[in-house]
Amino acid sequence: MDPVRIRLADPGQGPRSIPEELRRRFPDRLEELEAALAAGLVVTADGRPVTDATRRRRGMDVWTYREPAPEVAVPGELAVLHRDERVLVVDKPHFLATTPRAGHVTETALVRARRDLGPDELAPAHRLDRLTAGVLLFTTDPAYRAAYQDLFATRRVRKTYLAVAPAPEGTARVRERSSRIVKTRGVLQAAEVDGEADAHSRITLLDRRDDQLGLYRLEPTTGRTHQLRVHMNALGTPILGDDLYPSIRQVTPGDFSDPLQLLAESIEFTDPVTGETRRFRTRRGLEAWETGVVPHSPGRVDPA
């Protein structure tokens, strides 16, 4: 986990002692703060532990590590697909967030990778939704971080996904969806709205079973939030295990029995350092397709 930066008030405003200022600003975390101060885990920019004798300067920051709340362990291994001096490619399991956010901190791909695989300078070049499994690329050296992140930001990475969803009689083998997608802060679902399209997906039905379920390959050429889930739902074939589309459904915390049947199958790009073509592919599968049994969580109910 990265340390938290705390910007101090300018000298002359508030207590002169840095610990006293921190105690005043964080009264709800006093026990944790006192423990961090005693352990030397509150430090200045040059890494020196903060004490009552540490002098405060204008524009000064201090840094500390916050003790995360206990989290339910997410099942599944963060398997290594490839590693070299510039990148680490892993196979992320379902339910594991890419980076710390809200209630997911230690149970994230970034923290697991730093803890188990190292180094501490690991950083994601892109992100996968928490519910999506599959190929995820980290940079291992900060000197190359921007180059690989820019590949994804400028859409120079070809990404393919696999999904299991309904495939009624008459479903076309190839469908395309272009629309404008908006995700509003505080609203769980993203929505298609009027306006110029900013999201495009190509959807290919690879196989179909007698129970009218299909295995699809999804190829997004853009990267809007929840894009594939929104487009599959808009076409009348929502992805199995989706808690948001077509309707929001509650899930019992810690219930991992009904994973979203969406898998980041592969990424392919021209390496920004060597110029070679690189392709990484998942070794995972989708439970609903491999077993022929649609998972269902008894703890999931429609909200009142």
Side-chain angles (χ1 to χ4, degrees):
M1 291 170 53
D2 292 324
V4 176
R5 182 178 69 175
I6 303 172
R7 174 61 54 88
L8 299 178
D10 287 337
Q13 301 177 18
R16 295 176 59 84
S17 162
I18 292 176
E20 282 304 313
E21 179 180 337
L22 298 178
R23 293 179 184 113
R24 184 185 66 170
R25 288 173 57 179
F26 305 107
D28 58 331
R29 304 185 72 91
L30 281 179
E31 184 177 348
E32 179 184 336
L33 173 61
E34 295 295 350
L37 286 166
L41 296 179
V42 182
V43 299
T44 58
D46 59 3
R48 296 182 181 181
V50 168
T51 69
D52 287 325
T54 307
R55 299 187 64 179
R56 184 150 51 92
R57 301 183 303 275
R58 185 178 299 274
M60 184 178 182
D61 297 336
V62 295
W63 303 80
T64 187
Y65 287 90
R66 295 185 64 177
E67 186 68 25
E71 298 176 40
V72 178
V74 174
E77 179 186 1
L78 194 66
V80 175
L81 296 173
H82 173 83
R83 183 169 191 163
D84 59 37
E85 67 276 12
R86 297 185 302 277
V87 300
L88 169 70
V89 186
V90 300
D91 220 353
K92 186 182 84 67
H94 294 286
F95 301 107
L96 192 69
T98 298
T99 56
R101 184 179 180 184
H104 307 287
V105 179
T106 57
E107 286 301 307
T108 60
L110 177 60
V111 172
R112 273 200 194 180
R114 285 181 175 178
R115 181 189 65 210
D116 300 337
L117 305 171
D120 290 344
E121 292 79 13
L122 277 175
H126 63 120
R127 284 173 171 77
L128 290 179
D129 285 347
R130 185 178 68 89
L131 299 183
T132 304
V135 181
L136 179 63
L137 186 146
F138 292 95
T139 58
T140 58
D141 186 336
Y144 299 107
R145 184 177 302 166
Y148 288 96
Q149 289 179 339
D150 190 59
L151 285 176
F152 290 88
T154 56
R155 303 174 186 172
R156 288 181 288 145
V157 177
R158 183 182 177 222
K159 297 179 284 186
T160 68
Y161 293 75
L162 295 175
V164 180
E169 290 285 352
T171 300
R173 191 183 73 83
V174 178
R175 297 178 291 173
E176 303 210 16
R177 183 78 175 183
S178 294
S179 64
R180 186 170 189 82
I181 295 177
V182 172
K183 177 68 169 65
T184 303
R185 179 180 289 273
V187 178
L188 294 178
Q189 291 178 320
E192 292 186 315
V193 299
D194 294 335
E196 182 179 356
D198 61 1
H200 175 264
S201 305
R202 179 182 174 88
I203 299 162
T204 303
L205 179 59
L206 300 176
D207 200 1
R208 184 176 178 277
R209 295 202 313 235
D210 291 340
D211 58 2
Q212 295 196 335
L213 283 181
L215 178 66
Y216 294 86
R217 174 164 290 130
L218 314 179
E219 298 171 278
T221 56
T222 53
R224 306 300 295 178
T225 300
H226 295 177
Q227 176 179 319
L228 296 175
R229 297 162 70 180
V230 168
H231 279 172
M232 288 292 284
N233 181 61
L235 292 170
T237 52
I239 299 171
L240 264 63
D242 201 324
D243 298 320
L244 297 180
Y245 308 95
S247 60
I248 299 173
R249 295 183 292 177
Q250 294 179 332
V251 179
T252 303
D255 181 358
F256 304 118
S257 62
D258 192 1
L260 177 71
Q261 297 298 290
L262 180 63
L263 177 66
E265 178 191 30
S266 69
I267 57 174
E268 183 176 341
F269 56 88
T270 299
D271 193 285
V273 178
T274 66
E276 65 180 314
T277 298
R278 309 190 78 176
R279 186 172 190 266
F280 303 107
R281 190 174 188 277
T282 184
R283 296 173 188 154
R284 297 184 182 277
L286 290 169
E287 178 185 0
W289 191 257
E290 292 185 335
T291 65
V293 177
V294 179
H296 172 70
S297 168
R300 167 170 292 161
V301 295
D302 290 328

